[in-house]
Amino acid sequence: GNNPALTFIMQSNTVLTANFIPNPFTPSAGNYQGLFYDVTNATHQSSGFFNATVTSGGAFTAKLLSLGKSYSLKGHFTGNGEASIVVVRSGLNPLTVNLQMDFAGSALTGTISDGNWTAQLLANRAVFNSLINPAIAAGKYTLVLPGSDDSSTLPGGDSFGTLTVDGSGNINFTGSLADGSKVLQKTILSRWNQWPFYISLNSGSGSIFGWLTITNEIGRASCRERV
């Protein structure tokens, strides 16, 4: 079995054989943060932010932020890195969360669905340490989130903000949107210098989100916005 405990009735003359493998969760333990949304039709209703802590024994606690509300969940990965949880929401369809541990890539992937839509999840593990593995992208940045020329379909006007990344890959963002709203976020930088950008707006009735990449190549940073 893939579960940490196996229960059965012992029969006469039963022979048990146990095969042991190195604990796959030891190198994968840590904090994971990321986003979920429908990659073919990203909308506010089917998107959110995901934060999980995984122990060396494969247990996890997590929170997901969706529609301005935070939901807690916990569970235990099977030996092959799978987990499934149902999250009950008041007045809304429950969420079915299917997780898959990527042992090689230090990431969590999976799907989140309410029965009407299915969003893809990606959460990366915090890997940087200021002493033994400092983040190369550490520093201070100023950025602009360009608005659309057609404000009837996408937000109009430019937004801007300042970003600080410390040696351990911790991100502190403070910004001002085109309508004057002040926003902030604290999260982590992945080993690929990707930042899961997510801001809940208007008491949960809107959001702005997307994967941002810190790079020294002009024109490479990008994001998907939904307000």
Side-chain angles (χ1 to χ4, degrees), residues 56-70:
S56 58
F60 67 88
T61 57
K63 287 186 177 182
L64 62 86
L65 177 63
S66 176
L67 302 179
K69 294 185 178 180
S70 179

Side-chain angles (χ1 to χ4, degrees), residues 36 38 43-47 64 66-67 85-89 91-98 111-120:
F36 62 89
D38 185 344
T43 65
H44 169 62
Q45 288 72 22
S46 60
S47 62
L64 62 86
S66 176
L67 302 179
I85 307 98
V86 175
V87 179
V88 177
R89 301 185 297 171
L92 297 171
N93 290 348
L95 295 177
T96 300
V97 181
N98 294 310
T111 60
I112 297 179
S113 176
D114 77 338
N116 297 312
W117 51 260
T118 298
Q120 287 69 49

